[in-house]
Amino acid sequence: MKNSKGLLVFIGIRTVGLILLGLAFIVLGVYVLINPAEYDYEATATISRIEATGGEWVTDADGHETYEDTYTVYVSYDFEGREIKDAELNSYSSSMKVGDSVDIEFNADDTAHVSEVGFSILPIVAIVAGTVAVVVGVVEIIKLPETRARF
């Protein structure tokens, strides 16, 4: 049957694409882990204000929906003898309070946007998602003879 051959070709192309996409995610995640963003300077900043900037509805594992606010944190710090006020921090934690100290990283050419010193989970998520895609692709390849037999 012509349609069955077309379906098998589609499954093969999808499988190869899935594996290639998975490998790309793995490589990207490993690259980011090995070569984190580089910043010129580190400092200790003081949280100057925290603003609610919106929110979203989130569904938990039991299906309950709750509204979670999103926040933007602004910090002040000293750099080369001058005070930088209200620089936007790239993270927020519910434990943060105005007046708290936070360790930051930044580049001299963009002192208005700073990052909290710490570990990012995104490369790990990319590696895990890539691994899942590769495993699914390999399982599809293993099952290909069985799929062919059905058509």
Side-chain angles (χ1 to χ4, degrees):
M1 296 189 314
K2 277 188 170 179
N3 289 342
S4 351
K5 184 176 181 184
L7 182 61
L8 288 173
V9 169
F10 171 75
I11 291 171
I13 291 171
R14 183 190 66 191
T15 301
V16 169
L18 189 61
I19 290 172
L20 290 176
L21 184 66
L23 290 173
F25 269 79
I26 292 169
V27 168
L28 180 66
V30 169
Y31 176 80
V32 171
L33 276 178
I34 293 172
N35 301 302
E38 293 185 22
Y39 294 95
D40 299 332
Y41 297 94
E42 288 189 9
T44 299
T46 302
I47 297 175
S48 53
R49 62 190 168 107
I50 301 172
E51 290 184 356
T53 54
E56 63 185 354
W57 286 97
V58 177
T59 305
D60 65 15
D62 296 329
H64 299 99
E65 286 190 341
T66 55
Y67 187 79
E68 292 185 3
D69 290 319
T70 55
Y71 297 90
T72 301
V73 179
Y74 297 92
V75 297
S76 298
Y77 62 98
D78 291 324
F79 174 60
E80 295 182 345
R82 61 188 169 102
E83 183 180 14
I84 308 297
K85 293 184 177 184
D86 292 331
E88 187 175 332
L89 186 64
N90 73 339
S91 62
Y92 168 76
S93 166
S94 60
S95 65
M96 291 179 168
K97 306 287 182 249
V98 172
D100 286 353
S101 294
V102 61
D103 292 326
I104 60 167
E105 306 173 300
F106 60 94
N107 290 317
D109 61 347
D110 187 12
T111 57
H113 297 90
V114 299
S115 295
E116 185 173 10
V117 174
F119 180 76
S120 174
I121 193 80
L122 291 178
I124 303 298
V125 170
I127 292 169
V128 169
T131 302
V132 168
V134 169
V135 168
V136 169
V138 168
V139 167
E140 283 189 8
I141 287 173
I142 291 169
K143 289 185 169 187
L144 198 54
E146 180 184 316
T147 305
R148 268 192 177 147
R150 287 190 289 164
F151 292 102

